[in-house]
Amino acid sequence: MRRELPKTLVHQLAVPVLAGLAMASWAAWLGWDQHRDVQPDGSTTGPYEAWQVIGLGLTLLAMVSWAASRSYGVAAVFGTSTGLTVAAYYDWSDDGSGLYMIGVGLVMIGSLTVTGVLSLVIASTRRTRH
């Protein structure tokens, strides 16, 4: 006989697990690159390259898609968004201008929006197949 965790406990654990995975993804893709590149004209870019942000996006897309397809859509939205928001706050909080909070807020709003729409699309396609 196979023992399984109660469904509510699994749903409750999904949020912190997905938040931890989102923070780990941020650290793996963006956390190690902290220097800005100085261009010949004196302007600066960075610290992230486009391939790093695309890699993070694809990693999170796979994670949210997997969770939403297994009926963890709410956890996918709130766990992923919480993890990204905490990671952005930690990564950017040493900015002396204080403008980092605007970026953190945009990360929170954007991740809530994108993961919410993605989870809804996956849930609706899942319902039509069953």
Side-chain angles (χ1 to χ4, degrees):
M1 178 180 265
R2 200 171 123 188
R3 297 186 130 210
E4 292 185 18
L5 291 172
K7 199 165 196 80
T8 57
L9 178 62
V10 172
H11 280 280
Q12 289 172 352
L13 288 175
V15 173
V17 166
L18 288 168
L21 288 172
M23 286 187 282
S25 297
W26 180 288
W29 286 103
L30 306 178
W32 55 270
D33 192 0
Q34 298 298 316
H35 74 281
R36 295 190 178 276
D37 300 320
V38 180
Q39 303 302 318
D41 65 358
S43 64
T44 58
T45 61
Y48 313 122
E49 299 292 331
W51 65 267
Q52 292 172 283
V53 178
I54 292 167
L56 175 63
L58 292 174
T59 302
L60 295 173
L61 175 68
M63 189 172 73
V64 170
S65 298
W66 181 87
S69 68
R70 282 156 181 77
S71 300
Y72 299 118
V74 173
V77 172
F78 292 112
T80 303
S81 298
T82 299
L84 287 178
T85 303
V86 168
Y89 178 82
Y90 180 79
D91 195 16
W92 299 340
S93 63
D94 60 351
D95 176 40
S97 70
L99 292 176
Y100 72 94
M101 283 307 295
I102 294 171
V104 170
L106 291 173
V107 166
M108 181 184 67
I109 292 167
S111 61
L112 281 170
T113 303
V114 171
T115 56
V117 169
L118 180 61
S119 293
L120 283 173
V121 167
I122 290 171
S124 67
T125 58
R126 195 168 176 261
R127 272 186 244 132
T128 58
R129 280 192 271 147
H130 286 96

